[in-house]
Coordinates of all heavy atoms in Angstrom, one line a residue:
M1 N 0.8 -21.6 -18.6 CA 1.3 -20.5 -19.4 C 2.8 -20.3 -19.1 O 3.2 -20.4 -18.0 CB 0.5 -19.2 -19.0 CG 1.0 -18.0 -19.8 SD 0.1 -16.5 -19.3 CE -1.5 -16.8 -19.8
T2 N 3.6 -20.2 -20.1 CA 5.1 -20.0 -19.9 C 5.4 -18.5 -19.8 O 4.5 -17.6 -20.1 CB 5.8 -20.6 -21.1 OG1 5.4 -19.9 -22.3 CG2 5.6 -22.1 -21.2
W3 N 6.6 -18.2 -19.4 CA 6.9 -16.8 -19.0 C 6.7 -15.8 -20.2 O 6.4 -14.7 -20.0 CB 8.4 -16.7 -18.5 CG 9.4 -17.0 -19.6 CD1 10.0 -18.1 -20.0 CD2 10.0 -16.0 -20.5 NE1 10.8 -18.0 -21.0 CE2 10.9 -16.6 -21.3 CE3 9.8 -14.6 -20.6 CZ2 11.6 -16.0 -22.3 CZ3 10.6 -13.9 -21.6 CH2 11.4 -14.6 -22.4
H4 N 7.0 -16.2 -21.4 CA 6.9 -15.3 -22.5 C 5.5 -15.0 -23.0 O 5.2 -14.1 -23.8 CB 7.7 -15.8 -23.7 CG 7.3 -17.1 -24.3 ND1 6.3 -17.2 -25.2 CD2 7.7 -18.4 -24.0 CE1 6.1 -18.5 -25.5 NE2 7.0 -19.2 -24.8
E5 N 4.5 -15.7 -22.4 CA 3.1 -15.4 -22.7 C 2.5 -14.6 -21.6 O 1.3 -14.2 -21.7 CB 2.3 -16.8 -22.8 CG 2.8 -17.6 -24.0 CD 2.2 -19.0 -24.1 OE1 2.0 -19.6 -23.0 OE2 1.8 -19.4 -25.2
E6 N 3.2 -14.4 -20.5 CA 2.6 -13.6 -19.4 C 2.9 -12.1 -19.6 O 3.5 -11.7 -20.6 CB 3.3 -14.0 -18.1 CG 2.9 -15.5 -17.7 CD 3.6 -15.9 -16.4 OE1 3.9 -15.1 -15.6 OE2 3.8 -17.1 -16.3
R7 N 2.4 -11.3 -18.7 CA 2.6 -9.8 -18.8 C 4.0 -9.5 -18.5 O 4.6 -10.0 -17.5 CB 1.7 -9.2 -17.7 CG 1.5 -7.7 -17.9 CD 0.4 -7.4 -18.8 NE 0.0 -6.0 -18.7 CZ -0.2 -5.3 -19.8 NH1 -0.2 -5.9 -21.0 NH2 -0.6 -4.1 -19.7
L8 N 4.7 -8.7 -19.4 CA 6.1 -8.4 -19.2 C 6.2 -6.8 -19.1 O 5.3 -6.1 -19.6 CB 6.9 -8.9 -20.4 CG 6.8 -10.4 -20.7 CD1 7.5 -10.7 -22.0 CD2 7.5 -11.1 -19.5
A9 N 7.3 -6.4 -18.5 CA 7.6 -5.0 -18.5 C 8.9 -4.7 -19.2 O 9.8 -5.4 -19.1 CB 7.6 -4.5 -17.0
A10 N 8.9 -3.6 -19.9 CA 10.2 -3.1 -20.6 C 10.5 -1.8 -20.0 O 9.6 -1.0 -19.8 CB 9.9 -3.1 -22.1
F11 N 11.8 -1.5 -19.9 CA 12.3 -0.2 -19.4 C 13.4 0.3 -20.4 O 14.2 -0.4 -20.8 CB 12.9 -0.4 -18.0 CG 13.5 0.8 -17.4 CD1 12.7 1.9 -17.0 CD2 14.9 0.9 -17.3 CE1 13.3 3.1 -16.5 CE2 15.5 2.1 -16.8 CZ 14.7 3.1 -16.4
D12 N 13.3 1.6 -20.8 CA 14.3 2.2 -21.7 C 14.6 3.6 -21.2 O 13.7 4.3 -20.7 CB 13.7 2.2 -23.1 CG 14.7 2.7 -24.1 OD1 15.9 2.3 -24.0 OD2 14.3 3.5 -25.0
I13 N 15.9 4.0 -21.4 CA 16.2 5.4 -21.1 C 17.1 5.9 -22.3 O 17.7 5.1 -23.0 CB 17.0 5.5 -19.8 CG1 18.3 4.7 -19.8 CG2 16.2 5.2 -18.6 CD1 19.2 5.0 -18.6
E14 N 17.1 7.2 -22.4 CA 18.0 7.9 -23.3 C 18.8 8.8 -22.4 O 18.3 9.3 -21.4 CB 17.3 8.7 -24.4 CG 16.5 7.8 -25.3 CD 17.3 6.8 -26.2 OE1 18.5 7.0 -26.3 OE2 16.6 5.9 -26.7
T15 N 20.1 8.9 -22.7 CA 21.0 9.7 -21.8 C 21.8 10.7 -22.6 O 21.7 10.8 -23.9 CB 22.0 8.8 -21.1 OG1 22.9 8.2 -22.0 CG2 21.2 7.7 -20.3
T16 N 22.6 11.5 -21.9 CA 23.5 12.5 -22.5 C 24.8 11.9 -23.0 O 25.5 12.6 -23.6 CB 23.8 13.6 -21.5 OG1 24.4 13.0 -20.4 CG2 22.6 14.4 -21.0
G17 N 25.0 10.7 -22.8 CA 26.2 10.0 -23.3 C 26.3 8.6 -22.9 O 25.4 8.0 -22.4
V18 N 27.4 8.0 -23.2 CA 27.6 6.5 -23.0 C 28.4 6.2 -21.7 O 28.4 5.1 -21.3 CB 28.3 5.8 -24.2 CG1 27.4 5.9 -25.4 CG2 29.6 6.4 -24.5
D19 N 29.0 7.2 -21.1 CA 29.8 7.0 -19.8 C 28.8 6.9 -18.7 O 28.2 7.9 -18.3 CB 30.8 8.1 -19.6 CG 31.7 7.9 -18.4 OD1 31.4 7.0 -17.6 OD2 32.7 8.6 -18.3
Y20 N 28.7 5.7 -18.1 CA 27.7 5.5 -17.1 C 28.0 6.3 -15.8 O 27.1 6.5 -14.9 CB 27.5 4.0 -16.7 CG 28.7 3.4 -16.1 CD1 28.9 3.4 -14.7 CD2 29.7 2.8 -16.9 CE1 30.0 2.8 -14.2 CE2 30.8 2.2 -16.3 CZ 31.0 2.2 -15.0 OH 32.1 1.6 -14.4
E21 N 29.2 6.8 -15.6 CA 29.5 7.5 -14.4 C 29.1 9.0 -14.6 O 29.0 9.7 -13.6 CB 31.0 7.4 -14.1 CG 31.4 6.0 -13.6 CD 32.8 5.9 -13.1 OE1 33.6 6.9 -13.3 OE2 33.1 4.8 -12.6
T22 N 29.1 9.5 -15.8 CA 28.8 10.9 -16.0 C 27.5 11.2 -16.8 O 27.0 12.4 -16.7 CB 30.0 11.6 -16.7 OG1 30.2 11.0 -18.0 CG2 31.2 11.5 -15.9
A23 N 27.0 10.3 -17.5 CA 25.8 10.5 -18.3 C 24.6 10.8 -17.4 O 24.4 10.2 -16.4 CB 25.5 9.3 -19.2
R24 N 23.7 11.6 -17.9 CA 22.5 11.9 -17.2 C 21.3 11.5 -18.0 O 21.3 11.5 -19.3 CB 22.4 13.4 -16.9 CG 23.5 13.9 -16.0 CD 23.3 15.3 -15.7 NE 24.4 15.7 -14.8 CZ 24.5 16.9 -14.2 NH1 23.4 17.7 -14.3 NH2 25.5 17.3 -13.5
I25 N 20.2 11.1 -17.4 CA 19.0 10.6 -18.1 C 18.3 11.8 -18.7 O 18.1 12.8 -18.1 CB 18.1 9.8 -17.1 CG1 18.8 8.6 -16.6 CG2 16.7 9.6 -17.7 CD1 18.1 7.8 -15.5
V26 N 17.8 11.6 -19.9 CA 17.1 12.6 -20.7 C 15.6 12.2 -20.8 O 14.7 13.0 -20.7 CB 17.7 12.9 -22.1 CG1 16.9 13.9 -22.8 CG2 19.1 13.3 -21.9
T27 N 15.4 10.9 -21.1 CA 14.0 10.3 -21.2 C 14.0 9.0 -20.5 O 15.0 8.3 -20.5 CB 13.5 10.2 -22.6 OG1 14.2 9.2 -23.3 CG2 13.5 11.5 -23.3
A28 N 12.9 8.6 -20.1 CA 12.7 7.2 -19.5 C 11.3 6.7 -19.9 O 10.3 7.5 -20.1 CB 12.8 7.2 -18.0
C29 N 11.2 5.4 -20.2 CA 9.9 4.9 -20.5 C 9.7 3.5 -19.9 O 10.7 2.7 -19.9 CB 9.8 4.7 -22.0 SG 8.2 4.0 -22.6
V30 N 8.6 3.2 -19.4 CA 8.2 1.9 -18.9 C 7.0 1.4 -19.7 O 6.0 2.2 -19.7 CB 7.9 1.9 -17.4 CG1 7.5 0.5 -16.9 CG2 9.1 2.3 -16.6
A31 N 7.0 0.2 -20.2 CA 5.9 -0.3 -21.0 C 5.5 -1.7 -20.5 O 6.4 -2.5 -20.2 CB 6.2 -0.4 -22.5
K32 N 4.3 -1.9 -20.3 CA 3.8 -3.3 -19.9 C 3.1 -3.9 -21.1 O 2.2 -3.2 -21.7 CB 2.8 -3.2 -18.7 CG 3.5 -2.7 -17.4 CD 2.5 -2.8 -16.3 CE 1.6 -1.6 -16.3 NZ 0.7 -1.5 -15.1
V33 N 3.5 -5.1 -21.5 CA 3.0 -5.7 -22.7 C 2.7 -7.1 -22.5 O 3.1 -7.8 -21.5 CB 4.1 -5.6 -23.9 CG1 4.5 -4.2 -24.2 CG2 5.4 -6.4 -23.5
G34 N 1.9 -7.7 -23.4 CA 1.5 -9.1 -23.4 C 0.5 -9.5 -22.4 O -0.2 -8.7 -21.9
G35 N 0.4 -10.8 -22.2 CA -0.6 -11.4 -21.3 C -2.0 -11.2 -21.7 O -2.9 -11.3 -20.9
G36 N -2.2 -11.0 -23.0 CA -3.6 -10.8 -23.5 C -4.2 -9.5 -23.1 O -5.5 -9.3 -23.2
E37 N -3.5 -8.5 -22.6 CA -4.0 -7.2 -22.2 C -3.4 -6.2 -23.1 O -2.4 -6.3 -23.7 CB -3.6 -6.9 -20.8 CG -4.2 -7.9 -19.8 CD -3.8 -7.6 -18.4 OE1 -3.7 -6.4 -18.0 OE2 -3.5 -8.5 -17.6
P38 N -4.1 -5.0 -23.2 CA -3.5 -3.9 -24.0 C -2.2 -3.4 -23.5 O -2.0 -3.5 -22.2 CB -4.6 -2.8 -23.9 CG -5.8 -3.5 -23.3 CD -5.4 -4.7 -22.6
T39 N -1.4 -2.9 -24.4 CA -0.1 -2.3 -23.9 C -0.3 -1.0 -23.2 O -1.2 -0.2 -23.6 CB 0.8 -2.0 -25.2 OG1 1.1 -3.3 -25.8 CG2 2.1 -1.4 -24.8
E40 N 0.4 -0.9 -22.1 CA 0.3 0.4 -21.3 C 1.7 0.9 -21.2 O 2.7 0.1 -21.0 CB -0.2 0.1 -19.9 CG -1.6 -0.5 -19.7 CD -1.9 -0.8 -18.3 OE1 -1.6 0.0 -17.4 OE2 -2.3 -1.9 -18.1
S41 N 1.9 2.2 -21.3 CA 3.2 2.8 -21.2 C 3.1 4.2 -20.5 O 2.1 4.9 -20.6 CB 3.9 2.9 -22.5 OG 3.2 3.9 -23.3
S42 N 4.2 4.5 -19.9 CA 4.4 5.8 -19.2 C 5.8 6.2 -19.6 O 6.8 5.5 -19.7 CB 4.3 5.7 -17.7 OG 3.0 5.4 -17.3
S43 N 5.9 7.5 -20.0 CA 7.3 8.1 -20.3 C 7.4 9.4 -19.7 O 6.5 10.1 -19.4 CB 7.4 8.1 -21.9 OG 6.4 9.0 -22.4
W44 N 8.7 9.8 -19.5 CA 9.1 11.0 -18.9 C 10.2 11.7 -19.7 O 11.1 11.0 -20.2 CB 9.6 10.8 -17.5 CG 8.6 10.1 -16.6 CD1 7.8 10.7 -15.7 CD2 8.4 8.7 -16.5 NE1 7.0 9.7 -15.1 CE2 7.4 8.5 -15.5 CE3 9.0 7.5 -17.0 CZ2 6.9 7.3 -15.1 CZ3 8.5 6.3 -16.7 CH2 7.5 6.2 -15.7
L45 N 10.1 13.0 -19.8 CA 11.1 13.8 -20.4 C 11.7 14.6 -19.3 O 11.0 15.3 -18.6 CB 10.5 14.7 -21.5 CG 11.4 15.6 -22.3 CD1 12.5 14.8 -23.0 CD2 10.6 16.5 -23.2
V46 N 13.1 14.6 -19.2 CA 13.7 15.2 -18.1 C 14.8 16.2 -18.6 O 15.5 15.9 -19.5 CB 14.5 14.2 -17.2 CG1 15.2 14.8 -16.0 CG2 13.5 13.1 -16.7
Y47 N 14.8 17.4 -18.0 CA 15.9 18.3 -18.3 C 17.1 17.9 -17.5 O 17.1 17.9 -16.3 CB 15.6 19.8 -18.0 CG 16.7 20.7 -18.3 CD1 17.2 20.9 -19.6 CD2 17.4 21.3 -17.2 CE1 18.2 21.8 -19.8 CE2 18.4 22.2 -17.5 CZ 18.9 22.4 -18.8 OH 19.9 23.2 -19.0
P48 N 18.2 17.5 -18.2 CA 19.3 16.9 -17.4 C 20.2 17.9 -16.7 O 21.1 17.5 -15.9 CB 20.2 16.2 -18.5 CG 19.9 17.0 -19.7 CD 18.5 17.4 -19.6
G49 N 20.0 19.2 -16.9 CA 20.8 20.1 -16.1 C 22.1 20.5 -16.8 O 22.9 21.3 -16.3
V50 N 22.4 19.8 -17.9 CA 23.6 20.1 -18.7 C 23.3 20.1 -20.2 O 22.2 19.6 -20.6 CB 24.7 19.0 -18.4 CG1 25.2 19.0 -17.0 CG2 24.2 17.6 -18.9
E51 N 24.1 20.6 -21.0 CA 23.9 20.6 -22.4 C 24.0 19.2 -22.9 O 24.8 18.4 -22.4 CB 24.9 21.4 -23.2 CG 24.7 22.9 -23.0 CD 23.5 23.4 -23.7 OE1 23.1 23.0 -24.8 OE2 22.8 24.3 -23.1
I52 N 23.1 18.8 -23.9 CA 23.2 17.5 -24.4 C 24.1 17.5 -25.6 O 24.0 18.3 -26.5 CB 21.8 17.1 -24.9 CG1 20.8 17.0 -23.7 CG2 21.8 15.7 -25.7 CD1 19.4 16.7 -24.1
P53 N 25.2 16.7 -25.6 CA 26.2 16.7 -26.6 C 25.5 16.3 -28.0 O 24.6 15.6 -28.1 CB 27.2 15.6 -26.2 CG 27.0 15.4 -24.7 CD 25.6 15.8 -24.5
E54 N 26.1 16.9 -29.0 CA 25.6 16.7 -30.4 C 25.6 15.2 -30.7 O 24.7 14.7 -31.4 CB 26.4 17.4 -31.4 CG 26.2 18.9 -31.4 CD 27.0 19.6 -32.5 OE1 27.3 19.0 -33.5 OE2 27.3 20.8 -32.3
E55 N 26.6 14.4 -30.2 CA 26.7 13.0 -30.5 C 25.4 12.3 -29.9 O 24.9 11.4 -30.6 CB 27.9 12.4 -30.0 CG 29.2 12.9 -30.6 CD 29.7 14.2 -29.9 OE1 29.1 14.7 -28.9 OE2 30.6 14.9 -30.5
A56 N 25.0 12.6 -28.7 CA 23.9 12.0 -28.1 C 22.6 12.5 -28.8 O 21.7 11.6 -29.0 CB 23.8 12.3 -26.6
A57 N 22.5 13.7 -29.1 CA 21.3 14.2 -29.8 C 21.1 13.6 -31.1 O 20.0 13.4 -31.6 CB 21.4 15.8 -29.9
A58 N 22.2 13.2 -31.8 CA 22.1 12.6 -33.1 C 21.5 11.2 -33.0 O 20.9 10.7 -33.9 CB 23.5 12.5 -33.8
V59 N 21.7 10.6 -31.8 CA 21.2 9.2 -31.6 C 19.7 9.3 -31.3 O 18.8 8.6 -31.9 CB 22.0 8.5 -30.5 CG1 21.3 7.2 -30.1 CG2 23.4 8.2 -30.9
H60 N 19.3 10.1 -30.3 CA 17.9 10.1 -29.8 C 17.1 11.3 -30.3 O 15.9 11.3 -30.1 CB 17.8 10.0 -28.3 CG 18.7 10.9 -27.5 ND1 18.5 12.3 -27.5 CD2 19.7 10.7 -26.6 CE1 19.4 12.8 -26.7 NE2 20.1 11.9 -26.2
G61 N 17.8 12.3 -30.9 CA 17.0 13.4 -31.4 C 16.5 14.4 -30.4 O 15.6 15.2 -30.8
L62 N 17.0 14.4 -29.2 CA 16.6 15.3 -28.2 C 17.6 16.3 -27.8 O 18.8 16.0 -27.7 CB 16.2 14.5 -26.9 CG 15.1 13.5 -27.1 CD1 15.0 12.6 -25.9 CD2 13.8 14.2 -27.4
A63 N 17.3 17.6 -27.7 CA 18.1 18.6 -27.3 C 17.3 19.6 -26.5 O 16.1 19.8 -26.9 CB 18.8 19.3 -28.5
P64 N 17.9 20.2 -25.5 CA 17.1 21.1 -24.7 C 16.8 22.4 -25.5 O 17.6 22.8 -26.3 CB 17.9 21.4 -23.5 CG 19.3 21.1 -24.0 CD 19.2 20.0 -25.0
Q65 N 15.6 22.9 -25.3 CA 15.2 24.2 -26.0 C 16.0 25.3 -25.2 O 16.2 25.3 -24.0 CB 13.8 24.5 -25.9 CG 12.9 23.5 -26.7 CD 11.5 23.9 -26.6 OE1 11.0 24.5 -25.6 NE2 10.7 23.6 -27.6
R66 N 16.5 26.2 -26.0 CA 17.2 27.3 -25.4 C 16.1 28.2 -24.7 O 15.1 28.5 -25.3 CB 17.9 28.1 -26.4 CG 18.9 27.2 -27.1 CD 20.2 28.0 -27.3 NE 21.2 27.2 -28.1 CZ 22.0 26.4 -27.5 NH1 22.1 26.3 -26.2 NH2 22.9 25.7 -28.2
R67 N 16.4 28.6 -23.5 CA 15.5 29.4 -22.7 C 15.8 30.9 -23.0 O 17.0 31.3 -22.8 CB 15.5 29.1 -21.3 CG 15.1 27.7 -21.0 CD 15.0 27.5 -19.5 NE 14.4 26.1 -19.3 CZ 14.9 25.3 -18.4 NH1 15.9 25.6 -17.6 NH2 14.3 24.1 -18.3
V68 N 14.8 31.7 -23.4 CA 15.0 33.1 -23.6 C 14.3 33.9 -22.6 O 13.1 33.7 -22.3 CB 14.5 33.5 -25.0 CG1 14.7 35.0 -25.3 CG2 15.2 32.7 -26.1
M69 N 15.1 34.7 -21.9 CA 14.5 35.5 -20.8 C 14.3 36.9 -21.3 O 15.1 37.5 -21.9 CB 15.3 35.5 -19.6 CG 15.6 34.1 -19.0 SD 16.7 34.2 -17.6 CE 15.5 34.7 -16.3
S70 N 13.1 37.5 -21.1 CA 12.9 38.9 -21.5 C 12.9 39.7 -20.2 O 12.5 39.3 -19.2 CB 11.6 39.0 -22.2 OG 10.5 38.6 -21.4
M71 N 13.4 40.9 -20.4 CA 13.5 41.8 -19.3 C 12.4 42.8 -19.4 O 12.0 43.3 -20.3 CB 14.8 42.4 -19.2 CG 15.9 41.4 -19.1 SD 16.0 40.6 -17.5 CE 17.3 41.2 -16.7

């Protein structure tokens, strides 16, 4: 069996921007594929602690929900 027929893992993230020194992760996903087995995946949605810029939200479609506090 050659490498491309074996079980492989893929990793993907979406961030708040493209600057690797300041961007924060918003989502992450790990998927295991191939090797004659069913695809398995796990994903996480993370609140980055900062507002997500409109430019980033336009790419991945994610923006934090506004939290409304009632007194």
Side-chain angles (χ1 to χ4, degrees):
M1 184 180 291
T2 60
W3 71 269
H4 61 85
E5 296 174 321
E6 295 180 24
R7 194 89 166 133
L8 301 173
F11 175 71
D12 183 44
I13 60 172
E14 298 295 341
T15 66
T16 58
V18 295
D19 183 347
Y20 66 88
E21 292 185 354
T22 60
R24 297 186 183 191
I25 294 173
V26 178
T27 67
C29 178
V30 177
K32 295 188 278 185
V33 299
E37 297 180 37
T39 298
E40 298 177 49
S41 67
S42 295
S43 59
W44 301 266
L45 179 62
V46 180
Y47 177 67
V50 298
E51 288 293 321
I52 298 174
E54 288 183 25
E55 297 83 9
V59 172
H60 51 62
L62 299 170
Q65 291 182 332
R66 302 222 184 267
R67 295 187 176 137
V68 178
M69 299 178 81
S70 60
M71 303 290 253

